[in-house]
Amino acid sequence: MSETAPSAAGEQQNQAASLQKIQTLLSAKDDTSRFVGLALLKSVLDNTPELRTDEDGLVSLWESIPQKFLDRLIRTGSKQQAKGTNDMLDLAVSVLHTFTALLPEKSRQDTKLVNRIPQLVACLLYCSDDTTRLVLETLVSLVNQPEGAKVFDTIEDLSTLTEIAPSQPLVLDTLFYSWLGAMATTSDKMTLSSKIDKTIGMLVVSFRGTDGVTLLNFLGNLLPRLDPELLPPNPTWLPSLAKFVRDLVISRPTADGRAAFTNLSAALLEVYPIQAPSFYLPRMSTPNTQQRAKLNNPSYNPTAQRLTSAYNVVSNFMGYLLRTLEALDSGETNNNQWIMKPDLLLKLRTSISETMSLTAEYLRDRWDASIAGAMGLHPEARTAAANEGGVSHFTLAWDSKSVHSSQDPLILAAIRTLAIWLREDDGELLRKEAAGLCDMFVDLYQTSSAPEKGLDFRRPLLVAFEGILEERKGKEAFLENGGWQALVTDLYNIFQASSTMSDENEAARGVEIVRILLQIAEAEQPGPREDWMDLVTKVAAWAVPDQTQPPMVEEFQVAVLQLATALLVNAHPGLRRRYTHSTSAIIGIATQLRDKVKKDKGLVEALSDVLEALAALH
């Protein structure tokens, strides 16, 4: 210990001497000595952890750097054209970056630091890639406070930023924080609005030739947050944004891409309710008779792709609307973040409802042509034979010879969009119209049970059934066309597989099936049909797996027991007596399952209700 103390003291003395030497060099009158001092300072800061946490020491070192010397380094370095060998500019930026990160918040707002912002923006034209990154990180930190945003607002030419924005996302962060900060401090809103308008226009030009995802995401976040008086009144860049969105939609975008154009949709509809619909969300084209005639033309594929993308845009936008409503209902957001005015939302609802009605009409006609020939048309009157996907059937002249309806992405996209609207909107008329599609939906559900053959319609169709079954006509059409049997068959397959496999996606679909069948079983009068009780027998023969399974799988298994219990409870007493042994077996299964899921209070409570209901039947 006697050796350690003098050693530590010696290190402190060496460090103090080194810092004193650096400050002496920085206070010299010649720039060569200052440059050496600044280089030594950067090295000491990088290699002395205890100094990086010494706020008083950092402030003292920062104050010892002549600000005019920093300016000369940046200015002189900016005149050197050879990127990557610019020692003066690289050192000045590196030092500013380090002090911006380490100085206490009060010092970061000091004029000596924030007044370097214009020079940092100007020098970007001459920076190496690494120094560019340091400049942008420094700018983001500085403009994210009132004083920095105020200084940034004085810069007239932002072209050095907009030109590199496609390859440097931090540019958009810099603009985002600086404009929001300036919004709170500037008194000249008109000038700031003009600058925002001009800069966004420059960004749109810079992003041409890219997918524009980062730009769309930036504008989707920025525009709703700007004060109304800061929004450019008649922006010339709206059509260009619409093109970005169209190009992105038809390019099979990633999840980030879909989120970007969906959020921008909401933003533009909110802030530009008059201009945006015509530029950005034109009335969606719905397949008409003329387009049906193109089913066998070479132009069908691009037409179908465009319409598929249009449906996907609408369905994603519906999802955004629903999330916004849920956030409002739950208190997660405030009224200032409402997506659009109520009168505009009502107009949008009317437009979508009309489009969905035409969509249902198209689906009916297309399915009749490809499968049934035509609604109400006798089979002998059908004109020609076709063989599609290995299935031989009659077809009308305008049906597709190459793409069967059950394998057409357009049909899947249309059904997905229609399904969301049927479930979420209370349109009685549309639900009755959709009930006429139950034969198509049930058929598609059954053919999707072998997904290796092509498209899987099952999840969208389950969503559609939820809406259709709200109407009496919908329930009748669903049952008449074999809907119960189609869903029960799928449900039992998932249930059996859950004994040995833990597929959470399958289990999630199973929970949706139970929700639909439970709705039907509980509403059927005077009770469940006799053939429905086959499910009770099959559930009674199920063996509870020993291994621990994911929560979704266990939730699904409990849901199946709840469905079997509902069938028994609602069955006529005479019919119920035939299932005494099955009832006892299900009680045993529920007891075992309750012991297995005892850590999940919700599932334990649900199984206790099952046991109580079944015990009452004995």
Side-chain angles (χ1 to χ4, degrees):
M1 185 172 183
S2 60
E3 294 179 358
T4 303
S7 175
E11 288 181 6
Q12 292 177 353
Q13 289 176 357
N14 291 337
Q15 179 179 318
S18 177
L19 294 178
Q20 181 61 46
K21 179 181 178 182
I22 289 171
Q23 289 179 318
T24 300
L25 288 170
L26 288 173
S27 62
K29 293 185 178 181
D30 63 294
D31 283 350
T32 301
S33 298
R34 291 172 174 171
F35 186 85
V36 173
L38 199 62
L40 289 173
L41 173 59
K42 180 65 172 64
S43 178
V44 169
L45 288 173
D46 289 343
N47 297 287
T48 313
E50 58 270 21
L51 179 60
R52 296 169 67 89
T53 59
D54 181 4
E55 291 188 356
D56 293 336
L58 288 169
V59 171
S60 176
L61 287 170
W62 170 245
E63 291 176 348
S64 69
I65 303 174
Q67 63 183 45
K68 291 183 179 180
F69 172 62
L70 277 177
D71 291 342
R72 280 199 301 276
L73 278 183
I74 297 175
R75 186 167 55 250
T76 305
S78 297
K79 295 178 181 179
Q80 299 179 4
Q81 299 298 317
K83 293 185 178 181
T85 61
N86 198 334
D87 294 338
M88 287 187 287
L89 179 58
D90 293 346
L91 178 61
V93 169
S94 182
V95 169
L96 285 171
H97 178 268
T98 299
F99 276 105
T100 300
L102 299 180
L103 284 172
E105 183 177 354
K106 182 178 180 181
S107 296
R108 287 202 303 271
Q109 299 183 46
D110 187 71
T111 57
K112 181 179 178 181
L113 192 54
V114 297
N115 282 351
R116 310 283 77 76
I117 289 176
Q119 285 188 311
L120 287 174
V121 172
C123 79
L124 281 168
L125 190 61
Y126 310 103
C127 292
S128 64
D129 291 342
D130 289 340
T131 303
T132 295
R133 176 181 56 80
L134 295 180
V135 168
L136 293 175
E137 289 178 355
T138 303
L139 287 174
V140 170
S141 180
L142 293 178
V143 302
N144 198 15
Q145 46 195 339
E147 295 302 322
K150 188 182 298 184
V151 172
F152 186 88
D153 187 35
T154 64
I155 302 174
E156 294 297 329
D157 184 9
L158 295 177
S159 59
T160 55
L161 284 169
T162 58
E163 288 176 6
I164 64 173
S167 61
Q168 299 287 348
L170 285 175
V171 167
L172 300 179
D173 291 341
T174 301
L175 296 174
F176 181 83
Y177 292 119
S178 65
W179 287 341
L180 291 186
M183 178 176 69
T185 59
T186 186
S187 58
D188 189 354
K189 298 292 181 71
M190 185 176 296
T191 299
L192 180 57
S193 175
S194 177
K195 183 177 296 183
I196 292 173
D197 186 14
K198 178 183 177 181
T199 306
I200 293 177
M202 294 165 65
L203 286 171
V204 168
V205 172
S206 295
F207 272 86
R208 285 176 184 168
T210 73
D211 61 15
V213 169
T214 52
L215 176 63
L216 301 187
N217 191 54
F218 162 69
L219 293 175
N221 287 328
L222 172 72
L223 294 177
R225 288 174 167 82
L226 292 178
D227 289 341
E229 59 266 37
L230 290 180
L231 291 168
N234 294 295
T236 58
W237 34 261
L238 272 181
S240 297
L241 283 184
K243 186 178 186 307
F244 272 119
V245 171
R246 286 195 297 270
D247 291 345
L248 186 60
V249 166
I250 64 176
S251 66
R252 296 184 178 181
T254 62
D256 288 341
R258 290 194 297 272
F261 67 64
T262 302
N263 291 334
L264 182 62
S265 305
L268 291 177
L269 286 170
E270 177 183 357
V271 302
Y272 295 115
I274 305 301
Q275 303 98 314
S278 60
F279 282 120
Y280 183 71
L281 289 175
R283 181 180 293 273
M284 189 178 72
S285 300
T286 304
N288 54 33
T289 304
Q290 183 178 5
Q291 290 169 331
R292 292 169 191 169
K294 295 180 180 179
L295 282 170
N296 289 312
N297 288 348
S299 62
Y300 175 69
N301 285 337
T303 300
Q305 184 180 37
R306 176 176 61 81
L307 291 171
T308 299
S309 299
Y311 277 117
N312 287 336
V313 169
V314 174
S315 61
N316 276 280
F317 186 63
M318 287 178 185
Y320 182 87
L321 282 171
L322 294 172
R323 290 192 298 273
T324 303
L325 289 170
E326 290 171 0
L328 286 170
D329 291 341
S330 63
E332 295 177 7
T333 184
N334 54 56
N335 290 334
N336 293 331
Q337 294 175 308
W338 176 236
I339 186 171
M340 61 175 62
K341 296 179 180 178
D343 60 323
L344 296 174
L345 188 61
L346 184 60
K347 291 179 181 178
L348 180 62
R349 176 179 183 259
T350 301
S351 180
I352 294 178
S353 294
E354 292 173 355
T355 301
M356 292 303 101
S357 179
L358 293 171
T359 297
E361 180 184 344
Y362 170 73
L363 292 172
R364 178 73 270 169
D365 291 345
R366 177 75 187 275
W367 190 253
D368 287 339
S370 63
I371 299 295
M375 192 173 186
L377 183 63
H378 192 276
E380 293 180 0
R382 300 168 189 165
T383 58
N387 189 290
E388 300 175 338
V391 180
S392 180
H393 58 81
F394 291 97
T395 179
L396 294 185
W398 53 264
D399 189 34
S400 173
K401 295 178 181 177
S402 59
V403 183
H404 191 273
S405 299
S406 63
Q407 303 304 323
D408 194 338
L410 170 58
I411 301 298
L412 176 58
I415 289 176
R416 183 189 296 116
T417 308
L418 175 62
I420 296 173
W421 197 248
L422 286 171
R423 183 181 66 180
E424 303 298 338
D425 188 71
D426 294 328
E428 180 180 341
L429 181 59
L430 181 61
R431 284 176 173 171
K432 289 180 178 179
E433 291 177 11
L437 296 171
C438 275
D439 61 324
M440 174 187 182
F441 288 173
V442 172
D443 201 354
L444 279 174
Y445 195 96
Q446 291 173 318
T447 58
S448 295
S449 297
E452 66 275 3
K453 293 183 179 180
L455 302 177
D456 190 345
F457 288 78
R458 288 175 293 182
R459 294 297 284 270
L461 289 173
L462 290 172
V463 174
F465 287 141
E466 284 192 61
I468 291 173
L469 292 172
E470 291 293 328
E471 296 295 324
R472 179 184 58 80
K473 183 179 179 181
K475 290 190 181 73
E476 293 174 354
F478 175 81
L479 295 174
E480 287 172 1
N481 287 283
W484 177 277
Q485 190 57 47
L487 266 59
V488 162
T489 300
D490 190 24
L491 177 69
Y492 183 66
N493 290 337
I494 301 172
F495 190 53
Q496 281 290 88
S498 73
S499 295
T500 56
M501 298 176 61
S502 300
D503 191 326
E504 294 186 81
N505 289 328
E506 289 285 283
R509 189 175 78 251
V511 171
E512 294 176 22
I513 295 173
V514 170
R515 184 164 56 243
I516 292 170
L517 296 181
L518 198 58
Q519 177 184 352
I520 297 172
E522 292 178 342
E524 185 72 5
Q525 295 297 330
R529 302 180 186 184
E530 186 169 351
D531 59 313
W532 296 2
M533 302 299 288
D534 289 344
L535 179 64
V536 174
T537 304
K538 293 179 178 178
V539 171
W542 182 67
V544 178
D546 296 327
Q547 69 273 21
T548 302
Q549 294 179 298
M552 177 53 70
V553 176
E554 293 178 341
E555 180 184 342
F556 162 66
Q557 293 165 347
V558 172
V560 174
L561 294 184
Q562 290 176 313
L563 175 59
T565 301
L567 289 170
L568 287 167
V569 169
N570 293 318
H572 185 275
L575 179 61
R576 188 192 306 146
R577 280 193 291 271
R578 301 184 204 170
Y579 294 89
T580 301
H581 295 299
S582 293
T583 302
S584 299
I586 293 175
I587 290 175
I589 292 172
T591 302
Q592 293 180 59
L593 203 55
R594 185 173 62 175
D595 294 337
K596 185 183 173 190
V597 303
K598 57 186 177 182
K599 293 183 179 180
D600 190 319
K601 294 182 180 179
L603 294 184
V604 169
E605 183 178 347
L607 287 168
S608 297
D609 292 341
V610 165
L611 290 169
E612 182 179 348
L614 294 177
L617 299 180
H618 279 272

